[in-house]
């Protein structure tokens, strides 16, 4: 009985260790975020609760929620803009790979250097453009077809995206900008995909190598551009 009890204890311990390791891998996997589960869970909750989102009362509540979320998001980035403009670091520099749209190097990837302040302001402009485009599309869909689901989804996702942005974490929450996802240049955001996230969780090394490949490609393009410039000179 003692031997049997010991075997069961050992098996339970090993199983617990395996589950913890798998859980850690999933939490560390790139792209694995709780935000990707918000919309499916929200839709399931609405279906199970039998809430009529198309009733006049609920429609008005959702419209108010959408406007409130939009104003909150815009104000968040407005505050970030003011703080970055007046308190931004102009001494430290960051290099980013950008595709040139005009000029002799149009279509080429080149390395561009920004001060921390200019980089943050450029990121805010990009985010604000995306936010206003999303607001316009969502409002048009609601006005044209009367559907409220896009309003409801944006009412939740807009504040979540704003508060999880490295800019908000650094300037509003005092996060350390020297490590992790808050280190400049920020990782390029991609539309969340539940399938790609599970793939990353299953094989994080493959995803890491994929990211390194993108970095090598960008550096190669920058070196190629520098060589062409030297030849011209």
């Amino acid at each position: 009985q003692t031997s049997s009890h010991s075997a069961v204890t050992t098996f339970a311990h090993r199983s617990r260790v395996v589950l913890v390791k798998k859980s850690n891998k999933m939490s560390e996997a790139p792209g694995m975020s709780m935000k990707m589960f918000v919309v499916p869970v929200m839709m399931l909750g609405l279906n199970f609760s039998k809430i009529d989102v198309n009733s006049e009362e609920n429609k008005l509540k959702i419209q108010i929620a959408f406007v409130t979320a939009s104003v909150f998001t815009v104000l968040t980035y407005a505050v970030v803009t003011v703080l970055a403009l007046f308190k931004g670091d102009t001494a430290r520099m960051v290099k980013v790979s950008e595709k040139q749209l005009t000029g002799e190097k149009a279509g080429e990837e080149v390395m561009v250097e920004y001060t921390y302040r200019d980089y943050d302001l450029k990121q805010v402009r990009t985010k604000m453009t995306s936010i206003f485009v999303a607001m316009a599309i969502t409002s048009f869909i609601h006005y044209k077809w009367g559907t409220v689901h896009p309003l409801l989804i944006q009412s939740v996702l807009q504040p979540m995206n704003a508060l999880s942005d490295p800019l908000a974490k650094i300037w509003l929450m005092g996060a350390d900008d020297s490590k992790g996802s808050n280190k400049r240049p920020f990782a390029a955001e991609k539309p969340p995909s539940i399938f790609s996230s599970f793939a990353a969780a299953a094989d994080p090394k493959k995803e890491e190598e994929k990211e390194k490949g993108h970095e090598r490609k960008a550096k190669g393009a920058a070196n190629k551009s520098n060589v062409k410039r030297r030849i011209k000179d």
Side-chain angles (χ1 to χ4, degrees):
Q1 291 180 351
T2 303
S3 177
S4 176
H5 176 73
S6 177
V8 171
T9 303
T10 302
F11 176 77
H13 174 71
R14 290 179 177 176
S15 299
R16 186 165 58 251
V17 170
V18 170
L19 288 174
V20 169
K21 287 183 177 179
K22 288 184 177 181
S23 176
N24 290 337
K25 285 182 179 180
M26 289 187 69
S27 62
E28 294 173 358
M32 180 60 70
S33 170
M34 291 304 296
K35 289 191 292 184
M36 68 180 62
F37 299 105
V38 170
V39 174
V41 171
M42 187 189 304
M43 294 297 102
L44 287 173
L46 289 175
N47 290 334
F48 281 114
S49 60
K50 306 294 184 182
I51 297 177
D52 183 13
V53 295
N54 291 313
S55 67
E56 291 302 321
E57 181 182 359
N58 288 333
K59 186 180 292 187
L60 178 61
K61 291 179 180 179
I62 293 173
Q63 291 170 342
I64 294 174
F66 173 71
V67 173
T68 303
S70 299
V71 172
F72 172 82
T73 303
V74 172
L75 288 178
T76 298
Y77 282 106
V79 174
V80 169
T81 300
V82 173
L83 292 175
L85 186 61
F86 291 100
K87 295 185 178 181
D89 191 344
T90 57
R92 289 184 291 176
M93 309 293 292
V94 59
K95 291 183 179 181
V96 295
S97 176
E98 294 183 352
K99 180 175 289 187
Q100 297 297 300
L101 301 178
T102 58
E104 296 179 356
K105 301 176 184 177
E108 295 182 5
E109 291 280 350
V110 298
M111 297 301 293
V112 183
E113 197 171 36
Y114 295 98
T115 63
Y116 274 25
R117 184 185 68 176
D118 291 341
Y119 177 77
D120 288 356
L121 293 175
K122 184 175 186 296
Q123 290 293 307
V124 170
R125 288 194 297 269
T126 302
K127 298 292 176 61
M128 289 296 290
T129 300
S130 300
I131 289 169
F132 284 124
V133 169
M135 288 169 54
I137 293 175
T138 303
S139 301
F140 175 77
I141 292 174
H142 175 64
Y143 173 78
K144 188 69 174 179
W145 292 285
T147 178
V148 296
H149 288 90
L151 297 182
L152 182 60
I153 292 171
Q154 289 298 316
S155 299
V156 177
L157 290 184
Q158 280 190 118
M160 285 184 62
N161 290 333
L163 295 177
S164 63
D165 193 313
L167 291 168
K169 291 180 180 179
I170 293 170
W171 288 108
L172 302 180
M173 306 174 196
D176 185 3
D177 64 349
S178 63
K179 58 184 179 180
S181 60
N182 298 326
K183 185 177 180 180
R184 299 173 183 83
F186 307 133
E189 291 187 359
K190 299 178 181 178
S193 169
I194 190 170
F195 300 107
S196 62
S197 299
F198 281 130
D203 194 354
K205 291 183 178 180
K206 183 177 179 181
E207 292 296 318
E208 184 178 352
E209 288 297 325
K210 186 176 179 181
E211 291 297 324
K212 289 181 179 179
H214 289 316
E215 292 178 3
R216 288 194 294 268
K217 184 177 179 181
K219 289 180 180 179
N223 292 334
K224 184 178 179 181
S225 176
N226 290 332
V227 170
K228 287 184 177 180
R229 184 175 59 191
R230 290 174 183 174
I231 292 175
K232 289 181 180 180
D233 295 340

